Amino acid sequence: MNAAKRLEIFTRFRAANPSPKTELDYTTPFELLIAVLLSAQATDVSVNKATRLLYPVANTPAQILALGVDELASYIRTIGLFRTKAKNVIATCQILLDQHGGEVPRDRASLEALPGVGRKTANVVMNTAFGEPTMAVDTHIFRVSNRTGIAPGKNVDIVEQKLLKFIPKQFLHDAHHWLILHGRYTCTARKPQCWNCMIADLCDYKSKSPMPAVV
Protein backbone atom coordinates (compact mmCIF):
# COMPACT_ATOMS: atom_id res chain seq x y z
CA MET A 1 0.00 0.00 0.00
CA ASN A 2 1.33 3.43 -0.89
CA ALA A 3 1.39 6.60 1.19
CA ALA A 4 -1.43 8.24 -0.76
CA LYS A 5 -3.81 5.37 0.05
CA ARG A 6 -2.90 5.48 3.74
CA LEU A 7 -3.48 9.22 3.82
CA GLU A 8 -6.91 8.81 2.27
CA ILE A 9 -7.84 5.94 4.62
CA PHE A 10 -7.15 7.95 7.75
CA THR A 11 -8.69 11.08 6.25
CA ARG A 12 -11.92 9.09 5.87
CA PHE A 13 -11.66 7.64 9.37
CA ARG A 14 -11.27 11.14 10.82
CA ALA A 15 -14.14 12.55 8.76
CA ALA A 16 -16.46 9.80 9.98
CA ASN A 17 -15.33 9.95 13.62
CA PRO A 18 -13.35 13.11 14.46
CA SER A 19 -12.88 12.31 18.16
CA PRO A 20 -12.70 8.54 18.65
CA LYS A 21 -12.77 7.23 22.21
CA THR A 22 -12.09 4.00 23.99
CA GLU A 23 -15.17 1.95 24.82
CA LEU A 24 -13.87 1.30 28.32
CA ASP A 25 -15.54 3.40 31.02
CA TYR A 26 -13.14 5.54 33.06
CA THR A 27 -12.77 9.01 34.58
CA THR A 28 -9.14 9.02 35.76
CA PRO A 29 -5.85 7.57 34.50
CA PHE A 30 -5.96 5.06 37.35
CA GLU A 31 -9.45 3.87 36.42
CA LEU A 32 -8.28 3.48 32.82
CA LEU A 33 -5.18 1.54 33.88
CA ILE A 34 -7.24 -0.92 35.91
CA ALA A 35 -9.87 -1.27 33.18
CA VAL A 36 -7.23 -2.03 30.54
CA LEU A 37 -5.49 -4.48 32.86
CA LEU A 38 -8.82 -6.26 33.38
CA SER A 39 -9.62 -6.27 29.66
CA ALA A 40 -6.96 -8.82 28.69
CA GLN A 41 -8.81 -11.77 27.10
CA ALA A 42 -12.11 -10.11 28.01
CA THR A 43 -14.56 -7.80 26.28
CA ASP A 44 -14.91 -4.11 27.07
CA VAL A 45 -18.57 -4.78 27.82
CA SER A 46 -17.73 -7.30 30.54
CA VAL A 47 -15.08 -5.02 32.05
CA ASN A 48 -17.45 -2.05 32.12
CA LYS A 49 -20.10 -4.17 33.83
CA ALA A 50 -17.63 -5.03 36.59
CA THR A 51 -16.10 -1.58 37.03
CA ARG A 52 -19.52 0.05 37.27
CA LEU A 53 -19.91 -1.91 40.48
CA LEU A 54 -16.32 -1.57 41.64
CA TYR A 55 -15.47 2.09 41.05
CA PRO A 56 -18.27 3.62 43.15
CA VAL A 57 -16.85 1.61 46.07
CA ALA A 58 -13.12 1.85 45.31
CA ASN A 59 -11.43 3.78 42.51
CA THR A 60 -8.04 4.77 43.95
CA PRO A 61 -4.97 2.65 44.66
CA ALA A 62 -5.47 2.98 48.42
CA GLN A 63 -9.16 2.09 48.29
CA ILE A 64 -8.67 -0.96 46.07
CA LEU A 65 -5.68 -2.11 48.11
CA ALA A 66 -7.87 -1.93 51.21
CA LEU A 67 -10.35 -4.33 49.60
CA GLY A 68 -7.76 -7.10 49.37
CA VAL A 69 -7.57 -9.80 46.75
CA ASP A 70 -10.65 -11.79 47.77
CA GLU A 71 -13.06 -8.86 47.96
CA LEU A 72 -11.73 -7.37 44.75
CA ALA A 73 -12.16 -10.75 43.07
CA SER A 74 -15.82 -10.74 44.07
CA TYR A 75 -16.36 -7.58 42.01
CA ILE A 76 -14.60 -8.86 38.90
CA ARG A 77 -15.52 -12.54 39.03
CA THR A 78 -17.48 -12.30 35.75
CA ILE A 79 -14.26 -11.41 33.89
CA GLY A 80 -11.96 -14.11 32.56
CA LEU A 81 -8.87 -14.90 34.68
CA PHE A 82 -10.35 -12.80 37.45
CA ARG A 83 -8.31 -14.33 40.28
CA THR A 84 -4.98 -13.67 38.58
CA LYS A 85 -6.13 -10.21 37.60
CA ALA A 86 -7.21 -9.44 41.18
CA LYS A 87 -3.75 -10.36 42.43
CA ASN A 88 -2.11 -8.20 39.75
CA VAL A 89 -4.35 -5.23 40.50
CA ILE A 90 -3.62 -5.40 44.22
CA ALA A 91 0.12 -5.67 43.56
CA THR A 92 -0.08 -2.78 41.11
CA CYS A 93 -1.87 -0.61 43.65
CA GLN A 94 0.84 -1.34 46.22
CA ILE A 95 3.58 -0.30 43.78
CA LEU A 96 1.72 2.87 42.79
CA LEU A 97 1.48 3.87 46.45
CA ASP A 98 5.03 2.88 47.35
CA GLN A 99 6.86 4.19 44.29
CA HIS A 100 4.66 6.75 42.53
CA GLY A 101 2.74 8.61 45.21
CA GLY A 102 -0.48 6.86 44.22
CA GLU A 103 -0.32 8.29 40.69
CA VAL A 104 -0.15 6.43 37.39
CA PRO A 105 3.30 6.93 35.86
CA ARG A 106 3.51 8.41 32.38
CA ASP A 107 6.61 6.61 31.13
CA ARG A 108 6.67 3.20 29.47
CA ALA A 109 9.32 1.62 31.71
CA SER A 110 7.41 2.38 34.90
CA LEU A 111 4.10 1.24 33.43
CA GLU A 112 5.53 -2.04 32.14
CA ALA A 113 7.06 -2.69 35.57
CA LEU A 114 3.54 -2.98 37.03
CA PRO A 115 2.19 -6.54 37.46
CA GLY A 116 0.00 -7.58 34.56
CA VAL A 117 0.93 -4.54 32.47
CA GLY A 118 2.64 -5.36 29.19
CA ARG A 119 3.54 -3.22 26.20
CA LYS A 120 -0.01 -3.15 24.81
CA THR A 121 -1.54 -1.99 28.10
CA ALA A 122 1.18 0.61 28.55
CA ASN A 123 0.54 1.91 25.04
CA VAL A 124 -3.19 2.24 25.70
CA VAL A 125 -2.63 4.19 28.92
CA MET A 126 0.02 6.44 27.39
CA ASN A 127 -2.21 7.18 24.39
CA THR A 128 -5.63 7.47 25.98
CA ALA A 129 -4.80 8.95 29.37
CA PHE A 130 -1.76 11.05 28.50
CA GLY A 131 -2.11 11.83 24.80
CA GLU A 132 1.03 10.11 23.57
CA PRO A 133 1.10 8.96 19.90
CA THR A 134 1.50 5.27 20.76
CA MET A 135 0.03 2.25 18.99
CA ALA A 136 -1.39 -0.62 21.04
CA VAL A 137 -1.71 -3.54 18.63
CA ASP A 138 -4.49 -5.85 19.74
CA THR A 139 -6.12 -8.63 17.73
CA HIS A 140 -8.34 -6.16 15.84
CA ILE A 141 -5.51 -3.82 14.84
CA PHE A 142 -3.29 -6.77 13.88
CA ARG A 143 -6.02 -8.17 11.63
CA VAL A 144 -6.94 -4.84 10.02
CA SER A 145 -3.31 -3.89 9.43
CA ASN A 146 -2.57 -7.17 7.68
CA ARG A 147 -5.84 -7.62 5.81
CA THR A 148 -6.00 -4.10 4.40
CA GLY A 149 -2.29 -3.83 3.71
CA ILE A 150 -1.89 -0.69 5.84
CA ALA A 151 0.95 -2.28 7.82
CA PRO A 152 1.39 -6.03 7.26
CA GLY A 153 3.59 -7.99 9.65
CA LYS A 154 4.06 -11.46 11.10
CA ASN A 155 3.77 -10.35 14.73
CA VAL A 156 2.40 -7.47 16.79
CA ASP A 157 5.80 -5.84 17.27
CA ILE A 158 6.42 -5.60 13.54
CA VAL A 159 2.91 -4.26 12.93
CA GLU A 160 3.31 -1.68 15.70
CA GLN A 161 6.58 -0.36 14.28
CA LYS A 162 5.18 -0.22 10.74
CA LEU A 163 2.06 1.63 11.87
CA LEU A 164 4.16 4.18 13.73
CA LYS A 165 6.26 4.63 10.60
CA PHE A 166 3.55 4.66 7.94
CA ILE A 167 0.59 6.46 9.51
CA PRO A 168 0.70 10.19 8.73
CA LYS A 169 1.70 12.08 11.86
CA GLN A 170 -1.48 14.16 12.04
CA PHE A 171 -3.52 10.98 12.47
CA LEU A 172 -1.24 9.02 14.77
CA HIS A 173 -2.81 9.92 18.12
CA ASP A 174 -6.30 8.74 17.13
CA ALA A 175 -5.29 5.92 14.77
CA HIS A 176 -5.30 3.35 17.58
CA HIS A 177 -9.01 3.93 18.22
CA TRP A 178 -10.03 4.12 14.55
CA LEU A 179 -8.35 0.82 13.75
CA ILE A 180 -9.82 -0.97 16.77
CA LEU A 181 -13.34 0.25 16.01
CA HIS A 182 -12.96 -0.64 12.34
CA GLY A 183 -11.85 -4.15 13.26
CA ARG A 184 -14.52 -4.56 15.89
CA TYR A 185 -17.51 -3.46 13.84
CA THR A 186 -16.64 -3.57 10.11
CA CYS A 187 -13.48 -5.54 9.31
CA THR A 188 -14.53 -8.41 11.54
CA ALA A 189 -12.62 -11.67 11.78
CA ARG A 190 -14.99 -14.18 10.19
CA LYS A 191 -17.30 -12.08 8.04
CA PRO A 192 -15.79 -8.70 7.15
CA GLN A 193 -18.47 -6.27 6.02
CA CYS A 194 -16.65 -5.14 2.89
CA TRP A 195 -19.96 -4.06 1.34
CA ASN A 196 -20.39 -1.56 4.18
CA CYS A 197 -16.75 -0.46 4.49
CA MET A 198 -15.74 3.17 3.98
CA ILE A 199 -12.25 2.17 2.79
CA ALA A 200 -13.12 -0.89 0.65
CA ASP A 201 -11.87 0.78 -2.54
CA LEU A 202 -8.49 1.46 -0.90
CA CYS A 203 -8.04 -1.92 0.78
CA ASP A 204 -5.71 -4.66 -0.50
CA TYR A 205 -7.98 -7.49 0.72
CA LYS A 206 -8.68 -9.68 -2.31
CA SER A 207 -11.72 -11.64 -1.17
CA LYS A 208 -14.11 -8.76 -0.70
CA SER A 209 -17.35 -9.80 1.01
CA PRO A 210 -20.38 -9.35 -1.27
CA MET A 211 -23.47 -7.34 -0.45
CA PRO A 212 -25.95 -9.51 1.53
CA ALA A 213 -28.80 -10.80 -0.56
CA VAL A 214 -32.16 -9.06 -0.17
CA VAL A 215 -34.91 -11.49 0.83
Side-chain angles (χ1 to χ4, degrees), residues 133-194:
T134 57
M135 182 60 60
V137 180
D138 70 348
T139 183
H140 297 299
I141 292 181
F142 185 79
R143 179 176 65 255
V144 170
S145 297
N146 276 283
R147 182 183 279 167
T148 62
I150 291 173
K154 294 182 178 179
N155 59 58
V156 295
D157 292 331
I158 292 174
V159 169
E160 178 184 342
Q161 293 308 311
K162 284 189 173 182
L163 287 170
L164 292 172
K165 178 181 179 181
F166 292 148
I167 294 174
K169 299 301 181 185
Q170 67 265 37
F171 301 113
L172 195 52
H173 175 262
D174 291 324
H176 162 77
H177 296 301
W178 286 321
L179 291 171
I180 285 179
L181 293 171
H182 191 66
R184 186 172 288 168
Y185 297 111
T186 302
C187 195
T188 51
R190 294 186 178 180
K191 295 182 179 180
Q193 300 178 35
C194 301

Side-chain angles (χ1 to χ4, degrees), residues 2 6 8 30 39 41 53 68 70 76 82 89-90 99 120-121 123 132 142 149 152 161 169 181 194 196-197:
N2 60 42
R6 293 191 185 94
E8 178 61 21
F30 175 72
S39 71
Q41 300 181 48
L53 298 175
D70 290 341
I76 65 171
F82 73 96
V89 168
I90 291 297
Q99 300 180 19
K120 183 178 74 174
T121 298
N123 279 335
E132 297 291 334
F142 185 79
Q161 293 308 311
K169 299 301 181 185
L181 293 171
C194 301
N196 191 38
C197 175

